[in-house]
Amino acid sequence: MALQESTTPDIYQTYFEPTVYLNYFKMGQSPVGDECLNFLLKHYHSVFKSGGLKGKLLIDIGSGPSIYQLLSACECFEEIIATDYTDKNHLELEKWLKKMPGAFDWSPVVKHACELEGDRDKWAEKEERLRRTVRQVLKCDVHKEQPLEPAVLPLADCVLSSLCLEAACLTEEAFRAALRHLRTLLRPRGHLVLGGTFGSNFFMVGDKKFPCLPLKEKLVCEALLASGFTIEKLETTTRMAETLSDKDSNYTGLFVFVAQRND
Ligand code: SAH
């Protein structure tokens, strides 16, 4: 069934199949997946590499069944908390964290992240470090004023969210509200790292179509400023011609914002 217009987040609980979504992350098999991974890994590396952001706690919002977004961060944060809206995503993530049978093989992606750090051979070590660093997988809803309630956590040094808000928020107002909600998880002067797509109004997971909020640079900048952030860095790219024939999503570009809670 195609999901065209629904705006309720429960479409994720009902229809989002993590094992099908993970096909995007089998390197070399999905042009769109490869493009997103290459861009996001490169810029998360540059945000978190030595001398970049670091601290005690990083919270990843809307992790889905994915870990690629944490591969650089796990080198410079003592603890990571992964979160997602759906139970199936929690289970899929736990499978990888606990090395359970049938877990997704992230090793090609981990090798790529290690190559960016200068030593592809360290991939197994990095996998172990990430497994040690991710302390919990929690339920999260970015539409709630306290997205992680009932969990009570210390304020984070960094909140990361990758390819999530444009999927979870289908109106500009909901997007702005979600940024305000994420801000409450951060300590004063803590950082928000936001990776995502511009211009997309859908993405496919197998034969299921998920609606997206087509973000524009100006809208994200304005929303961050209005939500109490100072923008420190913005990396963008426009979609490569080679991926345009791929009908999995109609995004026009990709971004990584780094913003600081400004109080
Ligand atoms: N960050 C992952 C997953 C992105 S897919 C990655 O980069 O691969 C979008 C994710 O947003 C899904 O895992 C979905 O469950 C999650 N999501 C949807 N609605 C949400 C909500 N209201 N709050 C938090 N996460 C939500």
Side-chain angles (χ1 to χ4, degrees):
M1 187 188 124
L3 293 164
Q4 309 276 4
E5 304 299 344
S6 176
T7 54
T8 96
D10 279 307
I11 61 171
Y12 281 90
Q13 279 288 24
T14 314
Y15 299 107
F16 189 89
E17 190 48 61
T19 53
V20 179
Y21 176 73
L22 285 168
N23 287 327
Y24 280 117
F25 302 103
K26 293 181 177 166
M27 289 184 90
Q29 294 187 37
S30 156
V32 155
D34 285 355
E35 182 173 32
C36 291
L37 258 182
N38 284 328
F39 176 81
L40 294 172
L41 286 177
K42 174 173 164 196
H43 293 295
Y44 293 150
H45 166 64
S46 94
V47 168
F48 294 113
K49 73 179 174 212
S50 87
L53 299 186
K54 59 177 193 279
K56 186 164 163 47
L57 176 63
L58 177 143
I59 302 175
D60 181 32
I61 295 294
S63 310
S66 304
I67 55 108
Y68 73 88
Q69 70 279 18
L70 305 173
L71 290 167
S72 294
C74 75
E75 304 292 336
C76 35
F77 285 84
E78 289 169 33
E79 290 181 24
I80 292 177
I81 294 182
T83 72
D84 197 71
Y85 185 76
T86 85
D87 303 323
K88 276 190 191 169
N89 280 333
H90 290 184
L91 291 174
E92 193 60 37
L93 209 47
E94 297 280 6
K95 249 198 239 172
W96 185 83
L97 290 168
K98 295 181 178 151
K99 292 190 174 180
M100 287 157 69
F104 185 71
D105 177 13
W106 282 100
S107 65
V109 177
V110 182
K111 285 175 189 165
H112 184 92
C114 287
E115 206 166 305
L116 294 169
E117 287 173 12
D119 191 352
R120 192 178 167 88
D121 293 339
K122 290 220 162 128
W123 68 272
E125 227 172 277
K126 187 185 272 298
E127 286 196 345
E128 286 317 307
R129 176 187 281 271
L130 181 56
R131 289 189 171 101
R132 276 199 311 275
T133 310
V134 176
R135 300 292 162 85
Q136 297 181 68
V137 181
L138 295 178
K139 166 86 182 173
C140 150
D141 182 353
V142 297
H143 302 306
K144 287 188 178 166
E145 272 176 37
Q146 293 168 345
L148 302 179
E149 71 165 353
V152 181
L153 297 176
L155 292 177
D157 301 292
C158 184
V159 167
L160 169 70
S161 190
S162 203
L163 301 171
C164 170
L165 291 191
E166 63 272 47
C169 305
L170 298 183
T171 64
E172 293 180 12
E173 195 34 54
F175 180 75
R176 286 197 198 92
L179 289 176
R180 290 195 299 274
H181 302 158
L182 298 194
R183 186 176 185 275
T184 66
L185 302 173
L186 275 174
R187 68 166 168 78
R189 310 199 76 77
H191 286 86
L192 173 68
V193 179
L194 199 63
T197 57
F198 285 130
S200 169
N201 50 28
F202 75 91
F203 68 104
M204 302 298 296
V205 177
D207 62 353
K208 306 286 192 296
K209 191 172 192 174
F210 290 83
C212 253
L213 178 65
L215 296 172
K216 292 196 180 95
E217 183 178 323
K218 189 161 170 270
L219 166 70
V220 184
C221 288
E222 285 172 1
L224 283 166
L225 298 179
S227 313
F229 290 99
T230 303
I231 298 168
E232 288 192 344
K233 184 173 169 164
L234 168 60
E235 300 286 352
T236 64
T237 187
T238 44
R239 183 166 179 169
M240 288 188 303
E242 294 89 312
T243 72
L244 286 174
S245 61
D246 192 323
K247 300 283 182 258
D248 281 335
S249 171
N250 64 343
Y251 66 93
T252 54
L254 297 165
F255 63 80
V256 170
F257 276 88
V258 180
Q260 187 176 38
R261 178 177 155 154
N262 59 11
D263 51 5

